mmCIF file of all heavy atoms in Angstrom:
data_model
loop_
_atom_site.group_PDB
_atom_site.id
_atom_site.type_symbol
_atom_site.label_atom_id
_atom_site.label_comp_id
_atom_site.label_asym_id
_atom_site.label_seq_id
_atom_site.Cartn_x
_atom_site.Cartn_y
_atom_site.Cartn_z
ATOM 1 N N MET B 1 0.023 -33.861 -20.212
ATOM 2 C CA MET B 1 -0.761 -34.958 -19.783
ATOM 3 C C MET B 1 -2.280 -34.523 -19.828
ATOM 4 O O MET B 1 -2.535 -33.453 -19.425
ATOM 5 C CB MET B 1 -0.358 -35.534 -18.464
ATOM 6 C CG MET B 1 0.973 -36.154 -18.572
ATOM 7 S SD MET B 1 1.484 -36.850 -17.059
ATOM 8 C CE MET B 1 3.205 -36.405 -17.132
ATOM 9 N N ASN B 2 -3.109 -35.482 -20.320
ATOM 10 C CA ASN B 2 -4.457 -35.124 -20.416
ATOM 11 C C ASN B 2 -5.301 -36.462 -20.294
ATOM 12 O O ASN B 2 -4.802 -37.492 -20.567
ATOM 13 C CB ASN B 2 -4.624 -34.643 -21.885
ATOM 14 C CG ASN B 2 -5.960 -33.901 -22.110
ATOM 15 O OD1 ASN B 2 -6.666 -33.615 -21.160
ATOM 16 N ND2 ASN B 2 -6.377 -33.762 -23.324
ATOM 17 N N ASP B 13 -3.744 -39.231 -22.643
ATOM 18 C CA ASP B 13 -2.477 -39.125 -23.464
ATOM 19 C C ASP B 13 -1.460 -38.332 -22.649
ATOM 20 O O ASP B 13 -1.759 -37.685 -21.699
ATOM 21 C CB ASP B 13 -2.803 -38.537 -24.782
ATOM 22 C CG ASP B 13 -3.250 -37.096 -24.772
ATOM 23 O OD1 ASP B 13 -2.932 -36.321 -23.781
ATOM 24 O OD2 ASP B 13 -3.910 -36.625 -25.765
ATOM 25 N N ALA B 14 -0.174 -38.481 -23.101
ATOM 26 C CA ALA B 14 0.895 -37.814 -22.508
ATOM 27 C C ALA B 14 1.769 -37.423 -23.583
ATOM 28 O O ALA B 14 2.269 -38.244 -24.316
ATOM 29 C CB ALA B 14 1.597 -38.735 -21.510
ATOM 30 N N GLU B 15 2.054 -36.073 -23.620
ATOM 31 C CA GLU B 15 2.977 -35.644 -24.645
ATOM 32 C C GLU B 15 4.142 -34.932 -24.020
ATOM 33 O O GLU B 15 4.008 -34.202 -22.999
ATOM 34 C CB GLU B 15 2.210 -34.508 -25.482
ATOM 35 C CG GLU B 15 0.932 -35.106 -26.205
ATOM 36 C CD GLU B 15 0.149 -34.066 -26.884
ATOM 37 O OE1 GLU B 15 0.414 -32.761 -26.648
ATOM 38 O OE2 GLU B 15 -0.801 -34.384 -27.659
ATOM 39 N N LEU B 16 5.393 -35.091 -24.509
ATOM 40 C CA LEU B 16 6.585 -34.637 -24.008
ATOM 41 C C LEU B 16 7.310 -33.882 -25.106
ATOM 42 O O LEU B 16 7.363 -34.344 -26.223
ATOM 43 C CB LEU B 16 7.358 -35.795 -23.336
ATOM 44 C CG LEU B 16 6.636 -36.750 -22.456
ATOM 45 C CD1 LEU B 16 7.475 -38.052 -22.380
ATOM 46 C CD2 LEU B 16 6.472 -36.176 -21.195
ATOM 47 N N THR B 17 7.941 -32.753 -24.578
ATOM 48 C CA THR B 17 8.805 -31.999 -25.509
ATOM 49 C C THR B 17 10.116 -31.799 -24.840
ATOM 50 O O THR B 17 10.160 -31.339 -23.649
ATOM 51 C CB THR B 17 8.193 -30.725 -25.895
ATOM 52 O OG1 THR B 17 6.866 -30.930 -26.542
ATOM 53 C CG2 THR B 17 9.007 -29.953 -26.894
ATOM 54 N N TYR B 24 9.638 -33.952 -29.969
ATOM 55 C CA TYR B 24 8.222 -34.015 -29.455
ATOM 56 C C TYR B 24 7.913 -35.627 -29.402
ATOM 57 O O TYR B 24 8.228 -36.339 -30.367
ATOM 58 C CB TYR B 24 7.270 -33.361 -30.409
ATOM 59 C CG TYR B 24 5.841 -33.519 -30.144
ATOM 60 C CD1 TYR B 24 5.215 -32.942 -29.093
ATOM 61 C CD2 TYR B 24 5.070 -34.508 -30.770
ATOM 62 C CE1 TYR B 24 3.828 -33.247 -28.748
ATOM 63 C CE2 TYR B 24 3.757 -34.820 -30.417
ATOM 64 C CZ TYR B 24 3.194 -34.158 -29.536
ATOM 65 O OH TYR B 24 1.864 -34.434 -29.210
ATOM 66 N N LEU B 25 7.203 -36.024 -28.322
ATOM 67 C CA LEU B 25 6.917 -37.535 -28.118
ATOM 68 C C LEU B 25 5.531 -37.558 -27.618
ATOM 69 O O LEU B 25 5.216 -36.889 -26.653
ATOM 70 C CB LEU B 25 8.004 -38.123 -27.377
ATOM 71 C CG LEU B 25 7.689 -39.549 -26.850
ATOM 72 C CD1 LEU B 25 7.851 -40.507 -28.082
ATOM 73 C CD2 LEU B 25 8.719 -39.910 -25.759
ATOM 74 N N CYS B 26 4.782 -38.418 -28.134
ATOM 75 C CA CYS B 26 3.496 -38.798 -27.634
ATOM 76 C C CYS B 26 3.570 -40.119 -27.021
ATOM 77 O O CYS B 26 3.805 -41.229 -27.787
ATOM 78 C CB CYS B 26 2.394 -38.725 -28.713
ATOM 79 S SG CYS B 26 0.738 -39.057 -28.002
ATOM 80 N N GLU B 27 3.429 -40.240 -25.636
ATOM 81 C CA GLU B 27 3.639 -41.529 -24.976
ATOM 82 C C GLU B 27 2.535 -42.471 -25.223
ATOM 83 O O GLU B 27 2.742 -43.667 -25.450
ATOM 84 C CB GLU B 27 3.771 -41.236 -23.435
ATOM 85 C CG GLU B 27 3.942 -42.460 -22.675
ATOM 86 C CD GLU B 27 3.955 -42.295 -21.197
ATOM 87 O OE1 GLU B 27 4.296 -41.139 -20.665
ATOM 88 O OE2 GLU B 27 3.672 -43.099 -20.371
ATOM 89 N N HIS B 28 1.296 -41.974 -25.303
ATOM 90 C CA HIS B 28 0.167 -42.773 -25.527
ATOM 91 C C HIS B 28 -1.010 -41.791 -25.886
ATOM 92 O O HIS B 28 -1.108 -40.699 -25.404
ATOM 93 C CB HIS B 28 -0.219 -43.504 -24.192
ATOM 94 C CG HIS B 28 -1.533 -44.319 -24.303
ATOM 95 N ND1 HIS B 28 -1.641 -45.526 -24.852
ATOM 96 C CD2 HIS B 28 -2.790 -43.915 -23.908
ATOM 97 C CE1 HIS B 28 -2.910 -45.892 -24.745
ATOM 98 N NE2 HIS B 28 -3.523 -45.045 -24.224
ATOM 99 N N ALA B 29 -1.834 -42.382 -26.734
ATOM 100 C CA ALA B 29 -3.142 -41.659 -27.045
ATOM 101 C C ALA B 29 -4.140 -42.732 -27.386
ATOM 102 O O ALA B 29 -4.082 -43.321 -28.460
ATOM 103 C CB ALA B 29 -2.916 -40.692 -28.238
#
Side-chain angles (χ1 to χ4, degrees):
M1 291 181 215
N2 193 20
D13 66 23
E15 299 172 353
L16 308 165
T17 303
Y24 171 80
L25 173 68
C26 181
E27 179 182 337
H28 173 84

